[in-house]
Amino acid sequence: MREMDSFSYAMGVIDAFNEVVRAGVKKLALAHPVKDRQLREELAQAAEGICAQYGTKFYKEDDPLLTDLFPVSLNRGTYNILFYQSEEVLAEYLELKQRKKQLQEEGRYAGQERKEIARSFGRLLSYTDEAIERLIACNHEKESFS
């Protein structure tokens, strides 16, 4: 069996996610996070053509939203690409990041407020409520603050 190189694999993921965004299955999709900014730039350059093919848009994310939805090590210190069709979806994502930041600054990023940020992010990714609750419950590597 032929071995798949990581760049080709990442491009396959990007293609598939753009297909489901175009179909309306997902409002927002994330490429796989990468630790190397230059690699993300190369992926974004290739993703430009894929987005043109599907009529979707992309946003290069240098400071990903960390929530209790995913293990913190999966996204902290990484670079990513977000895919969407509507500018309103990107605005909603950026507003969610701002809301989290505001809650942190006010010392209120805890309990229900913290859980609601994760739930809102999951809904933006078009996950079911059941999937969101399962991901939060199964995540044993949550962001901690000193």
Side-chain angles (χ1 to χ4, degrees):
M1 186 164 132
R2 179 183 278 190
E3 189 173 320
M4 173 75 65
D5 67 275
S6 60
F7 188 85
S8 297
Y9 176 78
M11 291 310 303
V13 168
I14 288 169
D15 185 82
F17 275 138
N18 276 278
E19 181 178 3
V20 296
V21 167
R22 178 189 67 181
V25 176
K26 291 182 74 62
K27 289 171 45 174
L28 178 72
L30 309 171
H32 288 244
V34 295
K35 298 273 186 194
D36 180 352
R37 186 179 190 149
Q38 181 58 38
L39 174 56
R40 193 280 310 276
E41 293 301 318
E42 292 173 26
L43 290 168
Q45 186 175 11
E48 195 168 354
I50 291 172
C51 288
Q53 174 188 345
Y54 288 108
T56 55
K57 301 171 184 166
F58 71 94
Y59 175 81
K60 295 188 287 187
E61 177 59 275
D62 293 343
D63 183 28
L65 174 60
L66 304 177
T67 72
D68 293 344
L69 201 59
F70 303 115
V72 69
S73 65
L74 191 65
N75 292 299
R76 177 177 275 148
T78 64
Y79 303 94
N80 209 328
I81 308 170
L82 285 61
F83 302 100
Y84 57 95
Q85 270 192 310
S86 160
E87 290 298 331
E88 290 81 19
V89 171
L90 179 60
E92 190 176 338
Y93 170 80
L94 296 173
E95 288 168 12
L96 189 58
K97 281 181 64 173
Q98 184 58 40
R99 175 77 177 130
K100 178 189 173 188
K101 182 179 176 185
Q102 179 182 358
L103 288 169
Q104 287 176 300
E105 289 170 355
E106 296 170 357
R108 298 186 315 119
Y109 185 65
Q112 283 304 112
E113 295 277 8
R114 180 174 177 151
K115 196 169 266 192
E116 190 50 41
I117 295 290
R119 286 178 179 139
S120 294
F121 190 34
R123 286 190 294 273
L124 194 55
L125 292 167
S126 303
Y127 295 167
T128 65
D129 290 341
E130 295 80 17
I132 291 167
E133 295 305 320
R134 184 177 61 252
L135 286 168
I136 292 171
C138 291
N139 179 7
H140 300 295
E141 188 190 327
K142 296 181 170 103
E143 186 178 23
S144 61
F145 304 94
S146 47

